[in-house]
Amino acid sequence: MGSLKLEPAQSRPDLLAAPVSKALAVWPEDAPVDADQVLVAPIDPELADTAAFCEAYDVGLDVSANCVIVAGRRGEVTRYAACIVLATTRADVNGVVRRYLDARKASFAPMDDAVRLTGMEYGGITPIGLPAGWPILVDARVAATPHVIVGSGVRHSKIAIAGPALGALPGAEVIADLARPID
């Protein structure tokens, strides 16, 4: 995990958004990892964006996961979903995600909406602690990665977690071709 100084996330609520702390407090007993195996590390918030983070902390793009919030619309109805993809890939928003949401149009949710609805900071949104009822779409590559780094809900830290645990979050579904490799 590069040069990150990791410790159990539950012991560092100052490094987590409030919804993330709450989700860890009610962590499912049948999860593939115990809550104390969800780790967190402080980082420079100016280096929270994936490329800068990976370079500064010697973390490979192949173990860095991004959580993007997608809004799908059909008529007056908007549905939201979180997509978890490796930094070496891009979510297929206009194909796989749009069809999953049964939407005519899908796009990345506007920053203000994503922040307001999740209670997390833009650039730090994580699948842990998202609003109940939101689907969490996990690319199969993420679920197959032994350990990944993902946001913590805030820009000044990152979470390290087993990839299979992300695929087992409440509301999560592992999807084989959710993402496409970046050319």
Side-chain angles (χ1 to χ4, degrees):
M1 295 288 119
S3 62
L4 294 173
K5 299 193 182 339
L6 296 162
E7 54 191 302
Q10 287 185 303
S11 70
R12 294 297 307 269
D14 59 309
L15 295 178
L16 305 170
V20 179
S21 288
K22 288 177 187 172
L24 288 173
V26 295
W27 194 253
E29 287 186 26
D30 60 346
V33 298
D34 293 333
D36 62 357
Q37 292 175 299
V38 179
L39 306 176
V40 69
I43 65 164
D44 180 338
E46 297 298 316
L47 300 172
D49 293 332
T50 304
F53 163 76
C54 287
E55 184 177 335
Y57 293 94
D58 196 30
V59 171
L61 291 170
D62 60 333
V63 296
S64 182
N66 292 318
C67 178
V68 295
I69 305 302
V70 175
R73 291 179 219 37
R74 179 177 288 279
E76 298 300 314
V77 177
T78 300
R79 292 182 186 90
Y80 293 92
C83 299
I84 318 305
V85 300
L86 292 176
T88 56
T89 65
R90 285 201 177 105
D92 183 3
V93 172
N94 290 307
V96 175
V97 180
R98 181 185 58 76
R99 286 189 298 274
Y100 184 93
L101 292 173
D102 188 30
R104 288 196 188 275
K105 181 179 180 185
S107 60
F108 296 111
M111 178 179 63
D112 292 345
D113 291 350
V115 168
R116 178 177 48 79
L117 294 169
T118 64
M120 300 180 199
E121 294 177 4
Y122 193 76
I125 294 175
T126 187
I128 300 168
L130 288 172
W134 278 22
I136 300 171
L137 310 180
V138 181
D139 185 68
R141 293 171 192 89
V142 173
T145 303
H147 292 90
V148 295
I149 303 293
V150 68
S152 62
V154 294
R155 289 182 62 86
H156 63 273
S157 66
K158 294 284 187 180
I159 285 177
I161 187 169
L166 292 176
L169 288 171
E173 185 173 336
V174 177
I175 298 178
D177 291 313
L178 177 64
R180 295 183 180 159
I182 296 172
D183 295 330

